[in-house]
Structure formats: C-alpha cells, structure tokens
Amino acid sequence: MAFSSWFARSRLSSRTAFAFLRPSRQLHSTPKVAADSTAISPAKGRRRLPNWWSSSLLPLAIAVSATSFAFQSQSHPSISESSTAALDSGDITIGGKDSTEHEVKGEYKEVPSELITELKTILEDNLTTDYEERYFHGKPQNSFHKAVNIPDVVVFPRSEEEVSKILKSCNEYKVPIVPYGGATSIEGHTLAPKGGVCIDMSLMKKVKALHVEDMDVVVEPGIGWMELNEHLEQYGLFFPLDPGPGATIGGMCATRCSGSLAVRYGTMRDNVISLKVVLPNGDVVKTASRARKSAAGYDLTRLIIGSEGTLGVITEVTLRLQKIPQHSVVAMCNFPTVKDAADVAIATMFSGIQVSRVELLDEVQIRALNMANGKNLNELPTLMFEFIGTEAYAREQTQIVQQIASKHNGTDFVFAEEPEAKKELWKIRKEALWACFAMAPGYEAMITDVCVPLSHLAELISSSKKELDASQLLCTVIAHAGDGNFHTCIMFDPSIEEQRREAERLNHLMVHSALSMDGTCTGEHGVGTGKMKYLEKELGIEALQTMKRIKKALDPNDIMNPGKLIPPHVCF
C-alpha cells in the first residue's frame, strides 16, 4: 500500500512560512549557506496534489496536520543542540531481535567543515543547513518512527555526476548519507540517526528516453509515478505500479514497493529492466542492458531493488511499460464477515480470472470513510474489484465474480463503467488513510504490512480481526486481497506510552502469525528500522550474514543509510 505523503506535504506551506519568519538555526559553527530561494526552497521539486484531494479531505487534513505539527515540534531538538556528548552506543541501537524501542539512537559525529566546503563547490547553491528543512527531511512523513538526530545538511543534486562527487566526498570523510525520495515510506527509511548528509533526489526528475515500440522508458529517480503516467498517457502507455501518490520511482525501487495493481502486474522487482547506481566510492554502475531478458552475470538490478539506499544511490531507472487497458469495470460488494470477503478473493484468483485489483476494506474502515466524507456506505466488510480487457471480456469477468460472491454471502453487488462513476468508487479506497486520520485527530498510525500465501489469507485476517476488535485502539483493515497482502491502520495517541505499546503488541502478533504461515513481515513497505527485529525469524541468520557481507564489500565505511535493513546484532 505504501501510503503517501500528501498529508505531510500539506504541512509544508506552514513550515516554510515559519522558516522565513524566524532566524535559521545554524549547524554548529558552520556558516549559513548562501543560496537563492529557488535552489533550496523546501517546495522545490515537490509534487502537486491531485484535484480530488483538494475537494474532499484537504480541510480535515489541514486541521489534523496542525495538531500533529504542534505535538511533534514541542521537543525535537536539532542535532546541533544535543551534540555535547556521544550517545550511549557507538552504533545504531534499534531493530535488534525482540527490540521494543521506537526512537533510533546513533552516535553523532560533527560533519567536518571541509566537507561542507566541498559540497558547496559541487552543488553551488543547491544545499541547505536551514533547521526547518533539515527537520522536515529527518522526520518521515506519516510514520511514527523517529530518531534522536536529524541531517546536518540537505543537498539537492541535479545530475549523476554531482551524485558521484557527493558520495565520493562523504566516503572520504566517512560521513553518513541518507537518500531521500518522495518521503512516502513508513518504516523509518529516511531517518538520520547519525546525522550526516540527506541527499534529496527531487531535482533529478527527467524522462530521459521513451521507447514506445519497445514499451520501456528511461527516467531519473526523482520523478513521481503519477507524473510519469501523465507523460505516458498521450502514447497509450502507463507504468502499472500504484503505491502512495507522492512516491518517486527511485524510492519505489529502493523499497521494492508495489500497490493494488501488483496482483496483475507484479511488484517493482518485476517492472524494472535496468538501473544506474552510484556506489559509496563514487563509481557509477549500470546493472543491465535494455533487453527484456538476459543471463549475463549476477542480477545486480534485483540486488539494488529493495536495498533501501544501503548499497548506493539510484540515478537512472529503465522501466517496463504496459498498454492502457481498452476497457475497465470497477465493482463493489458487501459481506457479513471479513472471512467471507477474503474467501471470495481467494476463489476469484483460483478461478483463473485476470483481475487487475482486489481490495478489501473492513467495516471499521468503511465507517471512517462515511464519517470523513459524509457518505452513507453500508458499514460492512467490502471487496472492490477492477476488471480490464475488451468491453465484452471485462463484463464477462464481472458477471463471473458476482456469481462467486453470491455463493459466499455477498450482497449489494454494484459496478461502474463510466469514467466518473469508476473514479468515484475507486476514490473510496484511495482516501482510506486520510479517513483514519480524520477519525482520530492528533493520532499517529502504525501501519502493518504482513503478506501470506493466498490460501492462508482468510485465516490470518480472521484471527487478526478478533484481536483488533478486542483492542481499545481504533484499528482498520485494508488488504490487497488478491495477493495475500493486508494492512491494518492502528491509530494511537503518541503521547500515551500504553497506547504505543498496545499498537506494537498488535503488530507483533500479526507478524508472528504471518511468519508461522510461511509469510513475511513486509509485503511492500520494506524494512527500514521498523521491521529489522523480525528478519532473523523470517530469513534466518545465515541470510542476514550474507546481506551484511555484501554491504561490507560495497560500503566498507558504512556510510550508506546506516542502521537500516540489516539488524544490528548480525555479525560474522
């Protein structure tokens, strides 16, 4: 699901205003970087919100974001204000086996002034030490994870050559680098527990080459998937993954994300043909050619996909494209229980129907949507489908699934073919997270991401739902039911430690249930800092040691996104 950062981006205007109204806090004794507003503006390179967002939940989001901003700003010092002593550990102290910590601690070392000077030479005005901008980049949006430190400096490269020079300089001084894309990831991927350099890729967003006949496109990493699809539409093509609307292609590669269309088109792993990556020492590596298949050596493309910025910085991506479907039908149906709904999803996939989406929302999520949008939907577990193909084929699929649903207690089966009607139905699913925030103002969301073999989905959702309903916390269920992946939005008050621990307990319970069914702790959100503690149980220590050997070989100084992905207790 890879939830978006729209909500957080709506905060940006107020944060930017604050930055101009008060003096910028300096980073230790480093002089303020002279820069024009267009070069280092926090809004530079950020994506505009879709039109439907402004007409639906934007007022609620602004109200909620104001509350959240007020809470977050109370006691979050700059690293320059807390750098008088090293922390109690020389390394990252979260994410080990059975860890229950949620604030990432790491030893802070002051960035040498010589490095700042070199970065200014490389980037000219495209960097900033402004406190508001550093704070914004150091706190993942829509994520409860946090770190004791924030970046020392945020840089905005415009080319692969600049990225190479930045990494080479940082590697020489052994200064940490945190790659930064659309800020939609929710597992602490962009935290800077050791400070260092945040490398924001938002200025590298060109479409470098489009090969219509080959159905592929070469892009820079900072382009958003929605922007890319706007560009491709005129050619009758589209890129089929649909995570959070603010997600960028580079970040999508780094987290190996997917979305609701993965049931038909696969995940990011299946849709990337090749990459160009800058390694920590500044070397630029091309992982593959544009050929659709190759047996030439190690599959370096797949090694980088899902590496979460721990091995290098992606500077170019070649993507596989699809033809825009000739016709589509969106359908919706209610069920008395989530098990009935999950059983229909399983039966639909087993029937061989080439469905493009199967999404499940429980009755609590529907209630949140009703409250947020003034709708009057039946507050029952609900399945949403999308069928594509020729007009006749899409309608035939719809009728078959309607028959399957009726055999599993499905009611109120409705479908739409007109563009506006389909958009209105699908908007229900797209607004799910924002409805949760509107239902619980000032709360944070712990968003789970378990995935199991499809045959176990009904069992896992049913058992999890009993625990969620028994909890005092507000919990909703949202599932990509066609591929066994489901999420819960567990809303909790971050000022109440008991609520955070209850949210953690529920997440822990679902993860271990999924692992017992040969599933995974993260279907599409990635590991970051939040899921490290589960990896040994899921993959085994030998697999983690192999990952660490790869990391050590490519990044011997451990500058690339330190403290992420590989649990700190792993050694060899």
Side-chain angles (χ1 to χ4, degrees):
M1 165 166 96
F3 289 101
S4 82
S5 64
W6 293 347
F7 194 48
R9 296 297 186 189
S10 69
R11 305 176 189 172
L12 193 54
S13 59
S14 62
R15 292 190 180 191
T16 306
F18 288 140
F20 287 121
L21 288 172
R22 66 187 183 207
S24 173
R25 277 178 259 189
Q26 296 302 300
L27 182 65
H28 305 290
S29 58
T30 302
K32 180 168 177 61
V33 179
D36 65 351
S37 59
T38 59
I40 64 170
S41 167
K44 186 71 175 177
R46 306 215 198 283
R47 291 149 291 285
R48 297 182 61 186
L49 304 179
N51 292 334
W52 65 262
W53 168 247
S54 61
S55 62
S56 54
L57 286 174
L58 184 57
L60 283 167
I62 292 174
V64 176
S65 68
T67 304
S68 178
F69 177 70
F71 174 80
Q72 292 173 3
S73 299
Q74 286 176 0
S75 59
H76 195 96
S78 163
I79 51 171
S80 60
E81 297 164 354
S82 60
S83 62
T84 56
L87 295 168
D88 54 2
S89 170
D91 211 332
I92 308 302
T93 61
I94 192 173
K97 192 163 51 175
D98 301 322
S99 169
T100 58
E101 297 179 80
H102 71 291
E103 182 175 66
V104 185
K105 300 173 183 177
E107 182 183 12
Y108 172 70
K109 294 180 181 179
E110 185 172 355
V111 172
S113 59
E114 293 86 352
L115 175 59
I116 298 292
T117 300
E118 286 187 21
L119 293 176
K120 289 180 183 178
T121 301
I122 295 167
L123 295 154
E124 297 179 346
D125 291 337
N126 291 321
L127 81 166
T128 180
T129 58
D130 177 77
Y131 174 77
E132 294 292 339
E133 189 73 352
R134 291 189 296 116
Y135 175 82
F136 182 84
H137 282 77
K139 173 65 174 74
Q141 315 310 316
N142 300 322
S143 171
F144 67 92
H145 297 290
K146 57 184 178 181
V148 295
N149 293 319
I150 60 175
D152 294 76
V153 58
V154 182
V155 298
F156 300 85
R158 290 180 177 272
S159 69
E160 181 177 270
E161 181 182 8
E162 288 186 354
V163 173
S164 177
K165 290 178 179 179
I166 292 167
L167 267 62
K168 188 173 183 179
S169 293
C170 289
N171 194 49
E172 180 182 348
Y173 290 99
K174 299 183 180 180
V175 170
I177 296 174
V178 179
Y180 189 94
T184 62
S185 58
I186 61 174
E187 292 294 350
H189 299 86
T190 57
L191 293 174
K194 292 187 175 185
V197 176
C198 174
I199 183 165
D200 186 319
M201 305 299 287
S202 59
L203 300 186
M204 292 180 62
K205 54 191 306 181
K206 298 186 185 72
V207 176
K208 299 179 73 173
L210 172 62
H211 309 100
V212 175
E213 292 183 352
D214 295 326
M215 295 175 64
D216 68 52
V217 65
V218 183
V219 299
E220 291 184 323
I223 190 169
W225 67 272
M226 294 183 74
E227 296 171 84
L228 177 60
N229 278 335
E230 288 176 6
H231 176 79
L232 296 173
E233 186 176 10
Q234 60 187 306
Y235 303 99
L237 299 171
F238 81 115
F239 179 63
L241 272 68
D242 60 339
T248 60
I249 296 298
M252 291 163 67
C253 291
T255 56
R256 201 191 311 160
C257 76
S258 53
S260 62
L261 285 167
V263 65
R264 183 178 182 93
Y265 297 108
T267 71
M268 204 68 185
R269 178 186 63 187
D270 307 300
N271 289 278
V272 175
I273 298 172
S274 71
L275 299 166
K276 288 185 77 175
V277 184
V278 179
L279 300 182
N281 64 359
D283 289 350
V284 180
V285 174
K286 184 176 181 181
T287 64
S289 69
R290 266 200 317 119
R292 283 300 179 101
K293 65 179 184 178
S294 172
Y298 293 142
D299 193 342
L300 298 180
T301 305
R302 303 305 177 274
L303 174 64
I304 298 300
I305 294 173
S307 63
E308 301 185 6
T310 61
L311 301 179
V313 176
I314 296 169
T315 54
E316 182 182 285
V317 187
T318 302
L319 297 167
R320 186 189 306 264
L321 303 178
Q322 302 289 337
K323 288 289 292 182
I324 294 176
Q326 179 181 341
H327 189 78
S328 67
V329 177
V330 176
M332 189 165 67
C333 186
N334 300 326
F335 297 88
T337 69
V338 291
K339 184 179 185 306
D340 289 318
D343 283 339
V344 169
I346 296 169
T348 298
M349 299 306 298
F350 190 71
S351 71
I353 290 176
Q354 294 296 305
V355 63
S356 63
R357 306 186 213 232
V358 186
E359 299 289 290
L360 186 156
L361 295 79
D362 77 344
E363 73 280 2
V364 185
Q365 182 62 69
I366 298 295
R367 187 179 310 130
L369 287 161
N370 280 341
M371 292 178 63
N373 294 320
K375 295 185 180 293
N376 191 32
L377 301 169
N378 291 329
E379 293 180 0
L380 293 168
T382 301
L383 272 184
M384 302 185 69
F385 301 90
E386 184 178 63
F387 310 101
I388 63 174
T390 63
E391 184 173 343
Y393 182 61
R395 287 179 177 175
E396 181 185 12
Q397 290 178 311
T398 305
Q399 292 171 359
I400 293 172
V401 171
Q402 184 174 10
Q403 294 172 3
I404 294 173
S406 66
K407 295 177 182 178
H408 292 82
N409 305 312
T411 58
D412 303 312
F413 192 96
V414 297
F415 64 92
E417 297 182 74
E418 294 299 318
E420 286 305 312
K422 289 188 291 187
K423 183 179 178 181
E424 188 64 26
L425 276 180
W426 208 246
K427 190 167 72 171
I428 294 171
R429 169 62 182 85
K430 289 181 179 291
E431 293 185 343
L433 176 61
W434 318 122
C436 292
F437 280 122
M439 197 176 185
Y443 278 43
E444 291 188 357
M446 185 178 291
I447 305 168
T448 71
D449 182 35
V450 294
C451 185
V452 293
L454 191 57
S455 61
H456 292 295
L457 179 64
E459 177 188 356
L460 180 59
I461 288 184
S462 297
S463 62
S464 299
K465 190 80 167 81
K466 291 177 182 177
E467 291 290 333
L468 297 171
D469 290 345
S471 175
Q472 74 271 25
L473 300 182
L474 172 66
C475 306
T476 70
V477 172
I478 310 166
H480 304 312
D483 50 21
N485 186 198
F486 89 93
H487 313 283
T488 57
C489 290
I490 307 172
M491 309 302 296
F492 68 99
D493 186 337
S495 65
I496 302 175
E497 179 63 14
E498 291 77 11
Q499 289 197 14
R500 187 193 70 81
R501 290 188 178 277
E502 170 64 4
E504 186 70 45
R505 182 189 73 83
L506 294 170
N507 179 37
H508 190 77
L509 181 72
M510 284 182 280
V511 167
H512 282 277
S513 295
L515 295 182
S516 71
M517 299 174 184
D518 206 18
T520 178
C521 65
T522 174
E524 57 186 0
H525 292 169
V527 176
T529 62
K531 295 293 174 62
M532 286 194 295
K533 58 190 173 186
Y534 301 120
L535 290 195
E536 183 176 344
K537 182 176 178 63
E538 179 173 334
L539 301 174
I541 192 66
E542 295 82 7
L544 298 181
Q545 288 172 337
T546 302
M547 292 181 192
K548 191 157 187 175
R549 287 188 177 95
I550 294 171
K551 165 76 168 169
K552 187 70 175 176
L554 295 180
D555 184 19
N557 292 325
D558 193 27
I559 65 166
M560 294 306 308
N561 214 5
K564 315 295 169 56
L565 189 61
I566 302 173
H569 71 275
V570 176
C571 59
F572 50 85

